[in-house]
Amino acid sequence: MTQAKEGVYDRLNSYRDWPYMKVAVFCGSSAGHDAVYASETKRLGHFLGENNIDLVYGGGKTGLMGVVSDAVLEAGGRAFGVMPKYLVDKEIAHPGLTELSVVEDMHERKAKMAELADAFVALPGGAGTLEEIFEAWTWAQLGHHQKPCAFYNTQGFYDPLFEMITTMNEAGFLKDVFANMIIKTTEPDDLIAQFKVYQAPPQKWG
């Protein structure tokens, strides 16, 4: 598992004390074949920007990553990107972000995003999106942070994954409390409302 830098976990646990919220969004660097993925991502981005909720994301300008950052900025919000140097060098970084943090590698990218964010949400995406949200969820189970993790389930995109999580639970590999801690929604206001009332479960090995 990726190891975050010293002090990250302490900062991860402070979100209830913040006057505003930073939400880490994990999503595809492609837009997908169905236009609904982009339109729903744009709707979420506008909601974040209009409600003083900062975006933390991978810093890209392509696919759903570009859609959500553009929407937040269009709505007057702030977008904070985190990108490894080799990807910046390939000229895929978004040029108009509030701030772009350039890091050495993907491990440092995830640690930095975790440090900045107060909550995590996965939009439709591929293997990288799953890897990022699953690591955040795993960290939560282990008590490394107490932040909420969510899936924004546009067009039922994550329904097969939810079935797999149920299978893990029923087979005895995932406790009820950890299966149930995941937030599932399709609405921006519901997402933020659930973030604000989230209560972390006891850690796995507590």
Side-chain angles (χ1 to χ4, degrees), residues 15 20-25 44 47-49 51-54 119-121 148 150 152 183 185-198:
Y15 82 96
Y20 58 89
M21 181 180 287
K22 281 187 168 76
V23 173
V25 171
L44 175 61
F47 181 88
L48 297 178
N51 287 276
N52 195 35
I53 300 167
D54 291 346
F120 308 91
V121 59
Y152 199 76
I183 295 168
T185 188
T186 60
E187 294 297 324
D189 55 348
D190 181 58
L191 175 69
I192 302 305
Q194 292 200 59
F195 279 165
K196 289 183 176 180
V197 301
Y198 173 79

PDB file of all heavy atoms in Angstrom, residues 15 20-25 44 47-49 51-54 119-121 148 150 152 183 185-198:
ATOM      1  N   TYR A  15     -11.444  17.599   8.989  1.00  0.00           N
ATOM      2  CA  TYR A  15     -12.356  18.253   8.055  1.00  0.00           C
ATOM      3  C   TYR A  15     -13.556  18.898   8.723  1.00  0.00           C
ATOM      4  O   TYR A  15     -14.099  19.876   8.212  1.00  0.00           O
ATOM      5  CB  TYR A  15     -12.822  17.281   6.969  1.00  0.00           C
ATOM      6  CG  TYR A  15     -13.958  16.370   7.324  1.00  0.00           C
ATOM      7  CD1 TYR A  15     -15.270  16.699   6.983  1.00  0.00           C
ATOM      8  CD2 TYR A  15     -13.743  15.182   8.000  1.00  0.00           C
ATOM      9  CE1 TYR A  15     -16.313  15.868   7.298  1.00  0.00           C
ATOM     10  CE2 TYR A  15     -14.778  14.348   8.319  1.00  0.00           C
ATOM     11  CZ  TYR A  15     -16.066  14.692   7.967  1.00  0.00           C
ATOM     12  OH  TYR A  15     -17.111  13.879   8.290  1.00  0.00           O
ATOM     13  N   TYR A  20     -14.723  25.524   5.144  1.00  0.00           N
ATOM     14  CA  TYR A  20     -15.177  25.090   3.834  1.00  0.00           C
ATOM     15  C   TYR A  20     -14.646  23.679   3.607  1.00  0.00           C
ATOM     16  O   TYR A  20     -13.908  23.141   4.436  1.00  0.00           O
ATOM     17  CB  TYR A  20     -14.690  26.035   2.729  1.00  0.00           C
ATOM     18  CG  TYR A  20     -13.195  26.173   2.662  1.00  0.00           C
ATOM     19  CD1 TYR A  20     -12.429  25.303   1.888  1.00  0.00           C
ATOM     20  CD2 TYR A  20     -12.533  27.174   3.378  1.00  0.00           C
ATOM     21  CE1 TYR A  20     -11.046  25.418   1.837  1.00  0.00           C
ATOM     22  CE2 TYR A  20     -11.155  27.293   3.321  1.00  0.00           C
ATOM     23  CZ  TYR A  20     -10.423  26.415   2.553  1.00  0.00           C
ATOM     24  OH  TYR A  20      -9.066  26.526   2.504  1.00  0.00           O
ATOM     25  N   MET A  21     -15.021  23.074   2.504  1.00  0.00           N
ATOM     26  CA  MET A  21     -14.642  21.692   2.253  1.00  0.00           C
ATOM     27  C   MET A  21     -13.869  21.578   0.955  1.00  0.00           C
ATOM     28  O   MET A  21     -14.155  22.274  -0.014  1.00  0.00           O
ATOM     29  CB  MET A  21     -15.912  20.824   2.178  1.00  0.00           C
ATOM     30  CG  MET A  21     -15.645  19.348   1.947  1.00  0.00           C
ATOM     31  SD  MET A  21     -17.172  18.354   1.874  1.00  0.00           S
ATOM     32  CE  MET A  21     -17.639  18.374   3.602  1.00  0.00           C
ATOM     33  N   LYS A  22     -12.887  20.689   0.957  1.00  0.00           N
ATOM     34  CA  LYS A  22     -12.181  20.297  -0.255  1.00  0.00           C
ATOM     35  C   LYS A  22     -12.540  18.843  -0.555  1.00  0.00           C
ATOM     36  O   LYS A  22     -12.352  17.973   0.300  1.00  0.00           O
ATOM     37  CB  LYS A  22     -10.668  20.426  -0.076  1.00  0.00           C
ATOM     38  CG  LYS A  22     -10.107  21.832  -0.183  1.00  0.00           C
ATOM     39  CD  LYS A  22      -8.574  21.766  -0.162  1.00  0.00           C
ATOM     40  CE  LYS A  22      -7.948  23.104  -0.549  1.00  0.00           C
ATOM     41  NZ  LYS A  22      -8.030  24.068   0.527  1.00  0.00           N
ATOM     42  N   VAL A  23     -13.033  18.595  -1.750  1.00  0.00           N
ATOM     43  CA  VAL A  23     -13.438  17.247  -2.142  1.00  0.00           C
ATOM     44  C   VAL A  23     -12.502  16.723  -3.215  1.00  0.00           C
ATOM     45  O   VAL A  23     -12.314  17.357  -4.261  1.00  0.00           O
ATOM     46  CB  VAL A  23     -14.889  17.236  -2.664  1.00  0.00           C
ATOM     47  CG1 VAL A  23     -15.253  15.858  -3.220  1.00  0.00           C
ATOM     48  CG2 VAL A  23     -15.858  17.619  -1.544  1.00  0.00           C
ATOM     49  N   ALA A  24     -11.900  15.567  -2.958  1.00  0.00           N
ATOM     50  CA  ALA A  24     -11.076  14.905  -3.958  1.00  0.00           C
ATOM     51  C   ALA A  24     -11.970  14.111  -4.893  1.00  0.00           C
ATOM     52  O   ALA A  24     -12.751  13.263  -4.455  1.00  0.00           O
ATOM     53  CB  ALA A  24     -10.067  13.979  -3.292  1.00  0.00           C
ATOM     54  N   VAL A  25     -11.862  14.394  -6.167  1.00  0.00           N
ATOM     55  CA  VAL A  25     -12.645  13.698  -7.190  1.00  0.00           C
ATOM     56  C   VAL A  25     -11.710  12.810  -8.006  1.00  0.00           C
ATOM     57  O   VAL A  25     -10.722  13.292  -8.569  1.00  0.00           O
ATOM     58  CB  VAL A  25     -13.358  14.700  -8.116  1.00  0.00           C
ATOM     59  CG1 VAL A  25     -13.998  13.982  -9.301  1.00  0.00           C
ATOM     60  CG2 VAL A  25     -14.416  15.481  -7.331  1.00  0.00           C
ATOM     61  N   LEU A  44     -22.136  18.241 -11.385  1.00  0.00           N
ATOM     62  CA  LEU A  44     -21.489  18.145 -10.080  1.00  0.00           C
ATOM     63  C   LEU A  44     -20.450  19.252  -9.912  1.00  0.00           C
ATOM     64  O   LEU A  44     -20.381  19.900  -8.863  1.00  0.00           O
ATOM     65  CB  LEU A  44     -20.826  16.784  -9.917  1.00  0.00           C
ATOM     66  CG  LEU A  44     -20.005  16.590  -8.644  1.00  0.00           C
ATOM     67  CD1 LEU A  44     -20.867  16.732  -7.401  1.00  0.00           C
ATOM     68  CD2 LEU A  44     -19.292  15.238  -8.659  1.00  0.00           C
ATOM     69  N   PHE A  47     -22.051  22.534  -9.150  1.00  0.00           N
ATOM     70  CA  PHE A  47     -22.552  22.553  -7.774  1.00  0.00           C
ATOM     71  C   PHE A  47     -21.419  22.835  -6.787  1.00  0.00           C
ATOM     72  O   PHE A  47     -21.570  23.649  -5.873  1.00  0.00           O
ATOM     73  CB  PHE A  47     -23.218  21.218  -7.439  1.00  0.00           C
ATOM     74  CG  PHE A  47     -23.792  21.155  -6.049  1.00  0.00           C
ATOM     75  CD1 PHE A  47     -25.082  21.575  -5.800  1.00  0.00           C
ATOM     76  CD2 PHE A  47     -23.022  20.686  -4.984  1.00  0.00           C
ATOM     77  CE1 PHE A  47     -25.609  21.528  -4.507  1.00  0.00           C
ATOM     78  CE2 PHE A  47     -23.535  20.631  -3.704  1.00  0.00           C
ATOM     79  CZ  PHE A  47     -24.833  21.055  -3.457  1.00  0.00           C
ATOM     80  N   LEU A  48     -20.298  22.177  -6.978  1.00  0.00           N
ATOM     81  CA  LEU A  48     -19.164  22.414  -6.080  1.00  0.00           C
ATOM     82  C   LEU A  48     -18.723  23.875  -6.136  1.00  0.00           C
ATOM     83  O   LEU A  48     -18.544  24.527  -5.101  1.00  0.00           O
ATOM     84  CB  LEU A  48     -17.997  21.499  -6.459  1.00  0.00           C
ATOM     85  CG  LEU A  48     -18.218  19.989  -6.346  1.00  0.00           C
ATOM     86  CD1 LEU A  48     -16.973  19.231  -6.802  1.00  0.00           C
ATOM     87  CD2 LEU A  48     -18.604  19.581  -4.934  1.00  0.00           C
ATOM     88  N   GLY A  49     -18.548  24.385  -7.350  1.00  0.00           N
ATOM     89  CA  GLY A  49     -18.099  25.758  -7.497  1.00  0.00           C
ATOM     90  C   GLY A  49     -19.063  26.774  -6.926  1.00  0.00           C
ATOM     91  O   GLY A  49     -18.647  27.776  -6.323  1.00  0.00           O
ATOM     92  N   ASN A  51     -21.048  26.374  -4.469  1.00  0.00           N
ATOM     93  CA  ASN A  51     -21.263  26.211  -3.029  1.00  0.00           C
ATOM     94  C   ASN A  51     -19.962  26.263  -2.222  1.00  0.00           C
ATOM     95  O   ASN A  51     -19.890  25.745  -1.110  1.00  0.00           O
ATOM     96  CB  ASN A  51     -21.995  24.896  -2.774  1.00  0.00           C
ATOM     97  CG  ASN A  51     -23.454  24.959  -3.189  1.00  0.00           C
ATOM     98  OD1 ASN A  51     -24.300  25.424  -2.430  1.00  0.00           O
ATOM     99  ND2 ASN A  51     -23.745  24.508  -4.396  1.00  0.00           N
ATOM    100  N   ASN A  52     -18.952  26.929  -2.791  1.00  0.00           N
ATOM    101  CA  ASN A  52     -17.702  27.166  -2.069  1.00  0.00           C
ATOM    102  C   ASN A  52     -17.036  25.869  -1.621  1.00  0.00           C
ATOM    103  O   ASN A  52     -16.448  25.785  -0.544  1.00  0.00           O
ATOM    104  CB  ASN A  52     -17.936  28.077  -0.851  1.00  0.00           C
ATOM    105  CG  ASN A  52     -16.643  28.631  -0.291  1.00  0.00           C
ATOM    106  OD1 ASN A  52     -15.706  28.927  -1.023  1.00  0.00           O
ATOM    107  ND2 ASN A  52     -16.577  28.773   1.031  1.00  0.00           N
ATOM    108  N   ILE A  53     -17.143  24.833  -2.461  1.00  0.00           N
ATOM    109  CA  ILE A  53     -16.508  23.551  -2.182  1.00  0.00           C
ATOM    110  C   ILE A  53     -15.371  23.378  -3.180  1.00  0.00           C
ATOM    111  O   ILE A  53     -15.601  23.320  -4.389  1.00  0.00           O
ATOM    112  CB  ILE A  53     -17.518  22.393  -2.297  1.00  0.00           C
ATOM    113  CG1 ILE A  53     -18.646  22.595  -1.292  1.00  0.00           C
ATOM    114  CG2 ILE A  53     -16.827  21.048  -2.077  1.00  0.00           C
ATOM    115  CD1 ILE A  53     -19.839  21.686  -1.525  1.00  0.00           C
ATOM    116  N   ASP A  54     -14.162  23.332  -2.682  1.00  0.00           N
ATOM    117  CA  ASP A  54     -12.993  23.253  -3.548  1.00  0.00           C
ATOM    118  C   ASP A  54     -12.845  21.859  -4.149  1.00  0.00           C
ATOM    119  O   ASP A  54     -13.152  20.850  -3.512  1.00  0.00           O
ATOM    120  CB  ASP A  54     -11.728  23.581  -2.767  1.00  0.00           C
ATOM    121  CG  ASP A  54     -11.642  25.039  -2.360  1.00  0.00           C
ATOM    122  OD1 ASP A  54     -12.417  25.847  -2.896  1.00  0.00           O
ATOM    123  OD2 ASP A  54     -10.798  25.359  -1.502  1.00  0.00           O
ATOM    124  N   ALA A 119     -12.755  14.847   1.800  1.00  0.00           N
ATOM    125  CA  ALA A 119     -13.655  13.752   1.437  1.00  0.00           C
ATOM    126  C   ALA A 119     -13.255  13.278   0.046  1.00  0.00           C
ATOM    127  O   ALA A 119     -12.563  13.994  -0.691  1.00  0.00           O
ATOM    128  CB  ALA A 119     -15.111  14.218   1.445  1.00  0.00           C
ATOM    129  N   PHE A 120     -13.687  12.063  -0.309  1.00  0.00           N
ATOM    130  CA  PHE A 120     -13.289  11.443  -1.564  1.00  0.00           C
ATOM    131  C   PHE A 120     -14.513  10.922  -2.308  1.00  0.00           C
ATOM    132  O   PHE A 120     -15.401  10.315  -1.703  1.00  0.00           O
ATOM    133  CB  PHE A 120     -12.343  10.260  -1.297  1.00  0.00           C
ATOM    134  CG  PHE A 120     -11.177  10.594  -0.414  1.00  0.00           C
ATOM    135  CD1 PHE A 120     -11.257  10.429   0.962  1.00  0.00           C
ATOM    136  CD2 PHE A 120      -9.989  11.069  -0.953  1.00  0.00           C
ATOM    137  CE1 PHE A 120     -10.181  10.731   1.778  1.00  0.00           C
ATOM    138  CE2 PHE A 120      -8.905  11.377  -0.141  1.00  0.00           C
ATOM    139  CZ  PHE A 120      -9.004  11.209   1.234  1.00  0.00           C
ATOM    140  N   VAL A 121     -14.537  11.130  -3.617  1.00  0.00           N
ATOM    141  CA  VAL A 121     -15.639  10.608  -4.423  1.00  0.00           C
ATOM    142  C   VAL A 121     -15.106  10.118  -5.760  1.00  0.00           C
ATOM    143  O   VAL A 121     -14.267  10.774  -6.387  1.00  0.00           O
ATOM    144  CB  VAL A 121     -16.749  11.662  -4.634  1.00  0.00           C
ATOM    145  CG1 VAL A 121     -16.237  12.913  -5.308  1.00  0.00           C
ATOM    146  CG2 VAL A 121     -17.921  11.061  -5.409  1.00  0.00           C
ATOM    147  N   PRO A 148     -15.010  10.584   4.661  1.00  0.00           N
ATOM    148  CA  PRO A 148     -15.974   9.795   3.889  1.00  0.00           C
ATOM    149  C   PRO A 148     -15.478   9.479   2.488  1.00  0.00           C
ATOM    150  O   PRO A 148     -14.751  10.256   1.872  1.00  0.00           O
ATOM    151  CB  PRO A 148     -17.210  10.703   3.848  1.00  0.00           C
ATOM    152  CG  PRO A 148     -16.682  12.084   4.032  1.00  0.00           C
ATOM    153  CD  PRO A 148     -15.483  11.962   4.906  1.00  0.00           C
ATOM    154  N   ALA A 150     -17.028   8.025  -1.308  1.00  0.00           N
ATOM    155  CA  ALA A 150     -18.303   7.936  -2.013  1.00  0.00           C
ATOM    156  C   ALA A 150     -18.114   7.516  -3.463  1.00  0.00           C
ATOM    157  O   ALA A 150     -17.042   7.693  -4.047  1.00  0.00           O
ATOM    158  CB  ALA A 150     -19.026   9.287  -1.964  1.00  0.00           C
ATOM    159  N   TYR A 152     -20.140   8.272  -7.055  1.00  0.00           N
ATOM    160  CA  TYR A 152     -21.157   9.055  -7.762  1.00  0.00           C
ATOM    161  C   TYR A 152     -21.616   8.197  -8.930  1.00  0.00           C
ATOM    162  O   TYR A 152     -20.942   8.086  -9.955  1.00  0.00           O
ATOM    163  CB  TYR A 152     -20.544  10.380  -8.225  1.00  0.00           C
ATOM    164  CG  TYR A 152     -21.551  11.455  -8.555  1.00  0.00           C
ATOM    165  CD1 TYR A 152     -22.203  12.141  -7.535  1.00  0.00           C
ATOM    166  CD2 TYR A 152     -21.831  11.796  -9.876  1.00  0.00           C
ATOM    167  CE1 TYR A 152     -23.114  13.146  -7.822  1.00  0.00           C
ATOM    168  CE2 TYR A 152     -22.743  12.800 -10.170  1.00  0.00           C
ATOM    169  CZ  TYR A 152     -23.379  13.467  -9.145  1.00  0.00           C
ATOM    170  OH  TYR A 152     -24.281  14.462  -9.436  1.00  0.00           O
ATOM    171  N   ILE A 183     -20.586   5.798   0.706  1.00  0.00           N
ATOM    172  CA  ILE A 183     -21.711   6.636   0.281  1.00  0.00           C
ATOM    173  C   ILE A 183     -21.975   6.390  -1.199  1.00  0.00           C
ATOM    174  O   ILE A 183     -21.047   6.374  -1.998  1.00  0.00           O
ATOM    175  CB  ILE A 183     -21.395   8.120   0.534  1.00  0.00           C
ATOM    176  CG1 ILE A 183     -21.267   8.380   2.048  1.00  0.00           C
ATOM    177  CG2 ILE A 183     -22.440   9.034  -0.093  1.00  0.00           C
ATOM    178  CD1 ILE A 183     -20.676   9.728   2.392  1.00  0.00           C
ATOM    179  N   THR A 185     -24.514   7.734  -4.345  1.00  0.00           N
ATOM    180  CA  THR A 185     -25.485   8.762  -4.705  1.00  0.00           C
ATOM    181  C   THR A 185     -25.343   9.148  -6.166  1.00  0.00           C
ATOM    182  O   THR A 185     -24.341   8.815  -6.816  1.00  0.00           O
ATOM    183  CB  THR A 185     -25.307  10.005  -3.811  1.00  0.00           C
ATOM    184  OG1 THR A 185     -26.375  10.928  -4.043  1.00  0.00           O
ATOM    185  CG2 THR A 185     -23.974  10.680  -4.061  1.00  0.00           C
ATOM    186  N   THR A 186     -26.345   9.862  -6.654  1.00  0.00           N
ATOM    187  CA  THR A 186     -26.309  10.418  -8.011  1.00  0.00           C
ATOM    188  C   THR A 186     -26.604  11.915  -8.006  1.00  0.00           C
ATOM    189  O   THR A 186     -26.747  12.511  -9.080  1.00  0.00           O
ATOM    190  CB  THR A 186     -27.336   9.718  -8.915  1.00  0.00           C
ATOM    191  OG1 THR A 186     -28.652   9.901  -8.369  1.00  0.00           O
ATOM    192  CG2 THR A 186     -27.045   8.230  -9.049  1.00  0.00           C
ATOM    193  N   GLU A 187     -26.701  12.517  -6.816  1.00  0.00           N
ATOM    194  CA  GLU A 187     -27.085  13.916  -6.711  1.00  0.00           C
ATOM    195  C   GLU A 187     -26.043  14.725  -5.953  1.00  0.00           C
ATOM    196  O   GLU A 187     -25.603  14.322  -4.870  1.00  0.00           O
ATOM    197  CB  GLU A 187     -28.437  14.054  -6.004  1.00  0.00           C
ATOM    198  CG  GLU A 187     -29.601  13.466  -6.778  1.00  0.00           C
ATOM    199  CD  GLU A 187     -29.826  14.162  -8.114  1.00  0.00           C
ATOM    200  OE1 GLU A 187     -29.625  15.398  -8.170  1.00  0.00           O
ATOM    201  OE2 GLU A 187     -30.209  13.482  -9.079  1.00  0.00           O
ATOM    202  N   PRO A 188     -25.635  15.865  -6.486  1.00  0.00           N
ATOM    203  CA  PRO A 188     -24.612  16.674  -5.824  1.00  0.00           C
ATOM    204  C   PRO A 188     -24.972  17.094  -4.406  1.00  0.00           C
ATOM    205  O   PRO A 188     -24.130  16.996  -3.499  1.00  0.00           O
ATOM    206  CB  PRO A 188     -24.484  17.894  -6.736  1.00  0.00           C
ATOM    207  CG  PRO A 188     -24.932  17.425  -8.077  1.00  0.00           C
ATOM    208  CD  PRO A 188     -26.029  16.441  -7.793  1.00  0.00           C
ATOM    209  N   ASP A 189     -26.206  17.568  -4.196  1.00  0.00           N
ATOM    210  CA  ASP A 189     -26.569  18.037  -2.860  1.00  0.00           C
ATOM    211  C   ASP A 189     -26.605  16.892  -1.860  1.00  0.00           C
ATOM    212  O   ASP A 189     -26.210  17.049  -0.698  1.00  0.00           O
ATOM    213  CB  ASP A 189     -27.894  18.798  -2.882  1.00  0.00           C
ATOM    214  CG  ASP A 189     -29.044  18.005  -3.487  1.00  0.00           C
ATOM    215  OD1 ASP A 189     -28.801  16.944  -4.103  1.00  0.00           O
ATOM    216  OD2 ASP A 189     -30.199  18.451  -3.350  1.00  0.00           O
ATOM    217  N   ASP A 190     -27.052  15.718  -2.305  1.00  0.00           N
ATOM    218  CA  ASP A 190     -27.070  14.551  -1.426  1.00  0.00           C
ATOM    219  C   ASP A 190     -25.650  14.116  -1.083  1.00  0.00           C
ATOM    220  O   ASP A 190     -25.370  13.722   0.052  1.00  0.00           O
ATOM    221  CB  ASP A 190     -27.831  13.403  -2.087  1.00  0.00           C
ATOM    222  CG  ASP A 190     -27.893  12.166  -1.212  1.00  0.00           C
ATOM    223  OD1 ASP A 190     -28.400  12.274  -0.077  1.00  0.00           O
ATOM    224  OD2 ASP A 190     -27.446  11.088  -1.657  1.00  0.00           O
ATOM    225  N   LEU A 191     -24.745  14.193  -2.044  1.00  0.00           N
ATOM    226  CA  LEU A 191     -23.349  13.837  -1.804  1.00  0.00           C
ATOM    227  C   LEU A 191     -22.765  14.673  -0.674  1.00  0.00           C
ATOM    228  O   LEU A 191     -22.189  14.138   0.287  1.00  0.00           O
ATOM    229  CB  LEU A 191     -22.537  14.046  -3.081  1.00  0.00           C
ATOM    230  CG  LEU A 191     -21.027  13.821  -2.961  1.00  0.00           C
ATOM    231  CD1 LEU A 191     -20.710  12.353  -2.744  1.00  0.00           C
ATOM    232  CD2 LEU A 191     -20.308  14.359  -4.204  1.00  0.00           C
ATOM    233  N   ILE A 192     -22.922  15.993  -0.772  1.00  0.00           N
ATOM    234  CA  ILE A 192     -22.333  16.875   0.238  1.00  0.00           C
ATOM    235  C   ILE A 192     -23.049  16.734   1.574  1.00  0.00           C
ATOM    236  O   ILE A 192     -22.419  16.755   2.641  1.00  0.00           O
ATOM    237  CB  ILE A 192     -22.355  18.337  -0.247  1.00  0.00           C
ATOM    238  CG1 ILE A 192     -21.589  18.465  -1.573  1.00  0.00           C
ATOM    239  CG2 ILE A 192     -21.765  19.261   0.806  1.00  0.00           C
ATOM    240  CD1 ILE A 192     -20.160  17.933  -1.535  1.00  0.00           C
ATOM    241  N   ALA A 193     -24.376  16.557   1.539  1.00  0.00           N
ATOM    242  CA  ALA A 193     -25.119  16.357   2.789  1.00  0.00           C
ATOM    243  C   ALA A 193     -24.627  15.111   3.519  1.00  0.00           C
ATOM    244  O   ALA A 193     -24.453  15.123   4.749  1.00  0.00           O
ATOM    245  CB  ALA A 193     -26.611  16.249   2.496  1.00  0.00           C
ATOM    246  N   GLN A 194     -24.385  14.033   2.777  1.00  0.00           N
ATOM    247  CA  GLN A 194     -23.898  12.803   3.403  1.00  0.00           C
ATOM    248  C   GLN A 194     -22.460  12.960   3.892  1.00  0.00           C
ATOM    249  O   GLN A 194     -22.090  12.399   4.935  1.00  0.00           O
ATOM    250  CB  GLN A 194     -24.012  11.631   2.436  1.00  0.00           C
ATOM    251  CG  GLN A 194     -25.447  11.225   2.131  1.00  0.00           C
ATOM    252  CD  GLN A 194     -25.532   9.820   1.582  1.00  0.00           C
ATOM    253  OE1 GLN A 194     -25.122   8.857   2.229  1.00  0.00           O
ATOM    254  NE2 GLN A 194     -26.065   9.683   0.369  1.00  0.00           N
ATOM    255  N   PHE A 195     -21.658  13.713   3.160  1.00  0.00           N
ATOM    256  CA  PHE A 195     -20.309  13.995   3.638  1.00  0.00           C
ATOM    257  C   PHE A 195     -20.355  14.686   5.000  1.00  0.00           C
ATOM    258  O   PHE A 195     -19.587  14.356   5.906  1.00  0.00           O
ATOM    259  CB  PHE A 195     -19.563  14.897   2.654  1.00  0.00           C
ATOM    260  CG  PHE A 195     -18.973  14.185   1.461  1.00  0.00           C
ATOM    261  CD1 PHE A 195     -18.543  14.909   0.355  1.00  0.00           C
ATOM    262  CD2 PHE A 195     -18.835  12.808   1.437  1.00  0.00           C
ATOM    263  CE1 PHE A 195     -17.972  14.273  -0.738  1.00  0.00           C
ATOM    264  CE2 PHE A 195     -18.266  12.163   0.343  1.00  0.00           C
ATOM    265  CZ  PHE A 195     -17.834  12.903  -0.745  1.00  0.00           C
ATOM    266  N   LYS A 196     -21.246  15.652   5.149  1.00  0.00           N
ATOM    267  CA  LYS A 196     -21.262  16.485   6.352  1.00  0.00           C
ATOM    268  C   LYS A 196     -21.749  15.737   7.588  1.00  0.00           C
ATOM    269  O   LYS A 196     -21.404  16.119   8.715  1.00  0.00           O
ATOM    270  CB  LYS A 196     -22.105  17.731   6.098  1.00  0.00           C
ATOM    271  CG  LYS A 196     -21.426  18.720   5.144  1.00  0.00           C
ATOM    272  CD  LYS A 196     -22.230  19.982   4.966  1.00  0.00           C
ATOM    273  CE  LYS A 196     -21.482  20.991   4.091  1.00  0.00           C
ATOM    274  NZ  LYS A 196     -22.236  22.242   3.890  1.00  0.00           N
ATOM    275  N   VAL A 197     -22.560  14.693   7.412  1.00  0.00           N
ATOM    276  CA  VAL A 197     -23.071  13.945   8.568  1.00  0.00           C
ATOM    277  C   VAL A 197     -22.339  12.615   8.761  1.00  0.00           C
ATOM    278  O   VAL A 197     -22.675  11.840   9.657  1.00  0.00           O
ATOM    279  CB  VAL A 197     -24.586  13.688   8.442  1.00  0.00           C
ATOM    280  CG1 VAL A 197     -25.339  15.005   8.346  1.00  0.00           C
ATOM    281  CG2 VAL A 197     -24.908  12.794   7.249  1.00  0.00           C
ATOM    282  N   TYR A 198     -21.340  12.348   7.948  1.00  0.00           N
ATOM    283  CA  TYR A 198     -20.632  11.076   8.007  1.00  0.00           C
ATOM    284  C   TYR A 198     -19.978  10.855   9.371  1.00  0.00           C
ATOM    285  O   TYR A 198     -19.368  11.755   9.937  1.00  0.00           O
ATOM    286  CB  TYR A 198     -19.565  11.054   6.917  1.00  0.00           C
ATOM    287  CG  TYR A 198     -18.643   9.848   6.961  1.00  0.00           C
ATOM    288  CD1 TYR A 198     -19.050   8.620   6.452  1.00  0.00           C
ATOM    289  CD2 TYR A 198     -17.371   9.958   7.508  1.00  0.00           C
ATOM    290  CE1 TYR A 198     -18.198   7.515   6.498  1.00  0.00           C
ATOM    291  CE2 TYR A 198     -16.517   8.863   7.545  1.00  0.00           C
ATOM    292  CZ  TYR A 198     -16.932   7.649   7.034  1.00  0.00           C
ATOM    293  OH  TYR A 198     -16.095   6.568   7.083  1.00  0.00           O
TER     294      TYR A 198
END
